[in-house]
Amino acid sequence: DAGITQSPRHKVTETGTPVTLRCHQTENHRYMYWYRQDPGHGLRLIHYSYGVKDTDKGEVSDGYSVSRSKTEDFLLTLESATSSQTSVYFCAISEPQGKTQYFGPGTRLLVL
Amino acid sequence: AQKVTQAQTEISVVEKEDVTLDCVYETRDTTYYLFWYKQPPSGELVFLIRRNSFDEQNEISGRYSWNFQKSTSSFNFTITASQVVDSAVYFCALSEAGSNFGNEKLTFGTGTRLTIIP
């Protein structure tokens, strides 16, 4: 199994509070991704990173920001959480050129 | 833009029956990659297979087989002699190789929930 951890695994927060999710990898893979999973939508890409300090937006990036200061860590921040951001968040890693993306265990976030 | 369609939202079959999960994709690229992932009730995403657009050879892995047909833009997944442990949500996904740096995004279908009835 790919060495990917996500923290926290579960979080309950209130509307308007900031939230940061962390993804940590031990595989030294260049690319990292954040997805959210919602019923009826499958997984949708929020942001991704193709190297340290190199990030770009995905399909559903509004309300989210990311940072990658080290190869192994990719942070997802909700600056002011809203109820629509209640979801399961998955981190993934891969190497370039269409290589397989391997996923972390997921973080279940509930915004009240 | 790339798109993946999994028209079967839910399927139920009796154990030991064969079942096929459909996946139809859209892309303008000539080079692309197709994937299947399994999400069991525990919630993790498990990689099953990766296929590139130049390799149309069908693949078999134990009870699992995949049928890739570029002519119909389909990448279907068959489970033979299904077992209760096969109960899960299965996702098909597409990645375009592209020429842009960092263009490695996966587009997922909405998934098919497979229930195997004992």
Side-chain angles (χ1 to χ4, degrees):
Chain A
D1 291 343
I4 313 168
T5 56
Q6 293 184 229
S7 57
R9 294 293 313 281
H10 302 271
K11 187 170 182 65
V12 180
T13 191
E14 293 186 351
T15 298
T17 60
V19 176
T20 295
L21 308 183
R22 180 182 184 236
C23 177
H24 178 79
Q25 62 148 327
T26 58
E27 305 297 321
N28 201 36
H29 280 12
R30 182 176 175 186
Y31 287 12
M32 298 185 76
Y33 312 79
W34 277 107
Y35 293 87
R36 60 178 288 173
Q37 182 179 20
D38 304 290
H41 290 279
L43 281 86
R44 293 178 292 174
L45 182 65
I46 304 171
H47 281 280
Y48 66 103
S49 169
Y50 45 94
V52 174
K53 297 185 178 174
D54 291 322
T55 65
D56 203 351
K57 296 179 180 180
E59 178 187 356
V60 290
S61 60
D62 287 349
Y64 302 95
S65 63
V66 290
S67 66
R68 191 169 179 199
S69 59
K70 299 185 290 184
T71 298
E72 58 266 34
D73 289 326
F74 193 31
L75 303 181
L76 176 71
T77 297
L78 291 65
E79 300 290 347
S80 178
T82 67
S83 58
S84 65
Q85 293 176 312
T86 291
S87 186
V88 180
Y89 291 86
F90 284 96
C91 172
I93 66 173
S94 77
E95 288 292 275
Q97 297 302 314
K99 296 296 189 291
T100 299
Q101 289 188 22
Y102 293 97
F103 286 81
T107 293
R108 192 171 295 272
L109 176 66
L110 175 61
V111 183
L112 300 174
Chain B
Q2 56 191 36
K3 183 179 179 181
V4 176
T5 300
Q6 294 181 258
Q8 303 154 309
T9 304
E10 296 190 24
I11 300 175
S12 294
V13 300
V14 177
E15 194 174 20
K16 298 183 182 177
E17 289 185 351
D18 299 347
V19 57
T20 295
L21 309 183
D22 298 333
C23 173
V24 174
Y25 62 91
E26 296 176 27
T27 177
R28 294 182 179 180
D29 276 14
T30 56
T31 302
Y32 52 89
Y33 304 88
L34 294 162
F35 303 82
W36 276 94
Y37 288 86
K38 174 182 180 180
Q39 187 175 42
S42 51
E44 72 272 22
L45 283 155
V46 179
F47 164 72
L48 296 178
I49 190 171
R50 168 182 177 268
R51 172 69 68 215
N52 74 56
S53 54
F54 297 108
D55 182 4
E56 286 193 73
Q57 192 171 9
N58 290 333
E59 178 149 344
I60 299 174
S61 176
R63 296 184 296 106
Y64 295 173
S65 62
W66 290 268
N67 183 354
F68 177 27
Q69 291 194 337
K70 289 178 75 171
S71 60
T72 56
S73 297
S74 64
F75 187 43
N76 296 337
F77 172 32
T78 297
I79 301 174
T80 303
S82 60
Q83 300 177 1
V84 172
V85 294
D86 296 326
S87 295
V89 179
Y90 291 87
F91 291 98
C92 181
L94 166 70
S95 171
E96 292 173 339
S99 59
N100 298 328
F101 186 73
N103 187 20
E104 305 287 343
K105 294 167 280 187
L106 270 182
T107 296
F108 281 83
T110 52
T112 297
R113 181 178 300 278
L114 176 64
T115 301
I116 308 300
I117 303 166

